[in-house]
Amino acid sequence: LVDLARNCAMAEPTEPPAPAVTPALQDEELAATFTNDSAMMIAFERALETKRGADALFQDPFAEAMAGPKGAMLSDLFGGGSAHFGLPDWPNFHKTWTAVRTRFIDDQIQKYAGSGLQQLVNLGAGMDTRAYRLEAYKAFPNGCFDVDMASVNREKRIIFEEVLQNPAPKCKLATIDLDFLGERRLQQELAEAGFAAEKPSLFVAEGLIMYLGPEGKFKLISDVSAVAAPGSVWVLQFLDPSEGPAAETPQAKHGLTEDEARKALTENGWRDLNFWKFGEEGLNFD
């Protein structure tokens, strides 16, 4: 992940090196929908962590409902490809990673809430429920903007309405439909939803950039930079394939190396970058 700030930036942990699509998902139809459906997988894995009770890294009371019928299946399929991630003896690696990265990002949001940042933008929000479970969201005067594909937002809305009975978010919340690779720009969509472009913001991108392709990953960095006022902070989670089994494969271009991230972010005006990797101090909750 990389947490960055316009004049004060930071970086967050990179995921265990891996191919862009695990061979466990060779079925073409399944692979084609995995990008969107992975939101349910993450929700399922957050629900598993929540059920650990007092030992859990966080509590997400909405996650089980958000996982839907596909979450468990996709998590098991992903774990079945652990050998292709260089982790043959650890089929539950992604469940652990999801718990760790969720806690890390929760902590960053709580750290920056009340620091003068006026709004939060959750890019590729998926089935994320932080706006409903973190009290820190009350500290963003202009609220929160959850951005994702229309199909994902539609499923999330149905679950909130029909299963969870419309719980209240902790702050004003706008849900934005956006194809990050489409013609419509993030800047346009945010402006129409009430985003204050002149005010510093906290941006979060978890489990997104690795699905946007060799060109799309840099488009995302450019698009976010275009709407980030001075003083903004970005928490960006990315997959760095440079040290893993996918380093010399065609799939590597779908990942984002630390060198690429540094270069692209610096060129787009971000400063004070900090990077963490899974297991390092700051990204280890043993």
Side-chain angles (χ1 to χ4, degrees):
L1 289 168
V2 185
D3 157 7
L4 321 158
R6 191 72 172 169
N7 288 329
C8 161
M10 166 168 87
E12 208 223 278
T14 56
E15 204 160 338
V21 178
T22 173
L25 301 173
Q26 285 304 308
D27 178 87
E28 291 186 5
E29 182 177 354
L30 181 58
T33 60
F34 179 73
T35 299
N36 289 343
D37 289 348
S38 65
M40 298 180 189
M41 178 183 77
I42 299 301
F44 171 76
E45 293 176 348
R46 286 176 175 162
L48 287 181
E49 179 65 17
T50 297
K51 291 177 181 178
R52 293 179 61 228
D55 292 329
L57 297 181
F58 57 86
Q59 287 295 314
D60 186 344
F62 309 103
E64 188 169 13
M66 306 309 291
K70 295 180 179 179
M73 176 195 68
L74 289 170
S75 180
D76 289 343
L77 282 171
F78 207 80
S82 60
H84 300 281
F85 290 75
L87 303 166
D89 299 321
W90 192 14
N92 290 328
F93 80 95
H94 199 270
K95 295 179 177 68
T96 300
W97 172 244
T98 294
V100 169
R101 82 183 198 191
T102 299
R103 169 61 182 273
F104 181 94
I105 294 175
D106 284 3
D107 287 352
Q108 298 308 311
I109 291 172
Q110 291 165 353
K111 172 183 176 180
Y112 285 106
S115 68
L117 302 180
Q118 299 295 299
Q119 53 211 345
L120 187 151
V121 181
N122 191 346
L123 303 152
M127 297 296 177
D128 183 77
T129 64
R130 289 185 174 96
Y132 297 86
R133 64 179 181 83
L134 292 183
E135 294 294 323
Y137 272 67
K138 294 178 179 178
F140 297 102
N142 200 40
C144 170
F145 302 82
D146 278 2
V147 187
D148 213 322
M149 300 283 289
S151 58
V152 176
N153 289 338
R154 181 168 56 251
E155 290 187 48
K156 186 176 184 179
R157 184 165 53 249
I158 290 172
I159 295 172
F160 265 101
E161 292 175 355
E162 299 183 4
V163 179
L164 297 174
Q165 303 302 309
N166 282 324
K170 302 297 183 181
C171 67
K172 179 177 65 175
L173 172 63
T175 300
I176 298 173
D177 296 339
L178 178 68
D179 179 351
F180 290 98
L181 300 178
E183 293 184 3
R184 289 283 291 179
R185 290 282 179 167
L186 177 65
Q187 188 172 26
Q188 296 172 289
E189 299 295 342
L190 284 174
E192 293 176 7
F195 178 80
E198 75 282 2
K199 296 180 179 180
S201 310
L202 175 60
F203 296 88
V204 174
E206 178 184 9
L208 171 63
I209 199 166
M210 64 283 288
Y211 293 116
L212 300 181
E215 297 179 1
K217 60 186 180 184
F218 295 116
K219 178 180 183 295
L220 178 69
I221 292 173
S222 175
D223 287 353
V224 173
S225 301
V227 297
S232 294
V233 175
W234 188 1
V235 182
L236 169 64
Q237 180 243 327
F238 64 93
L239 188 156
D240 185 345
S242 62
E243 299 177 357
E248 303 302 325
T249 69
Q251 288 80 15
K253 63 184 179 182
H254 291 268
L256 182 71
T257 68
E258 183 177 325
D259 287 344
E260 287 178 323
R262 285 186 183 279
K263 184 174 185 295
L265 292 164
T266 300
E267 289 176 348
N268 279 276
W270 297 90
R271 300 291 183 270
D272 302 329
L273 310 185
N274 295 288
F275 293 81
W276 289 265
K277 290 185 179 180
F278 181 68
E280 294 181 348
E281 186 178 357
L283 195 60
N284 187 336
F285 298 101
D286 285 344

